[in-house]
């Protein structure tokens, strides 16, 4: 299955469970998982590096929830030329 728009998963502290990414893998749906720099090594152990996007900083330290990461993903999608994107 190949989506019309790119699929992103924002993930924090879920490198062991990965329910969403496993489901997408089972559906053969391409996606990229977005993680903070401090968690990259943990995710790299279980997900191929070409599917991992690393945010420029640990947004969790800002105390704003996932909003800064969502905005970062939106900018990333626009930079790649996507009119829209899926965010899980």
């Amino acid at each position: 299955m190949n989506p019309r728009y790119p699929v992103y998963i924002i993930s924090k502290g879920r490198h062991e469970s990965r329910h969403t990414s496993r489901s997408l893998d089972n559906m053969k749906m391409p996606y990229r998982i977005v993680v903070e720099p401090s968690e990259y090594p943990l995710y790299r152990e279980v997900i191929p590096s070409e599917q991992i996007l690393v945010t420029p900083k640990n947004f969790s330290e800002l105390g704003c929830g996932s909003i800064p990461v969502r905005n970062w993903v939106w900018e990333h999608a626009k930079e790649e030329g996507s009119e829209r994107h899926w965010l899980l």
Side-chain angles (χ1 to χ4, degrees):
M1 177 179 281
N2 201 6
R4 182 173 181 183
Y5 302 110
V7 176
Y8 296 88
I9 302 170
I10 294 176
S11 189
K12 173 125 178 81
R14 295 186 184 104
H15 62 279
E16 292 177 345
S17 60
R18 303 181 328 277
H19 296 296
T20 304
S21 63
R22 287 181 185 187
S23 294
L24 294 179
D25 286 339
N26 289 337
M27 292 186 286
K28 298 188 180 357
M29 171 84 65
Y31 66 89
R32 284 178 280 184
I33 195 160
V34 181
V35 303
E36 294 184 341
S38 61
E39 293 197 341
Y40 175 75
L42 299 170
Y43 282 88
R44 178 60 192 98
E45 291 179 14
V46 293
I47 295 177
S49 60
E50 59 271 4
Q51 286 181 260
I52 302 173
L53 293 177
V54 181
T55 61
K57 58 186 170 184
N58 288 330
F59 286 115
S60 63
E61 296 170 1
L62 299 176
C64 299
S66 65
I67 294 169
V69 181
R70 291 172 187 267
N71 291 339
W72 185 85
V73 169
W74 187 5
E75 290 302 318
H76 183 273
K78 289 192 305 188
E79 287 173 9
E80 289 197 332
S82 298
E83 294 178 27
R84 294 174 174 82
H85 64 281
W86 293 101
L87 187 57
L88 308 174

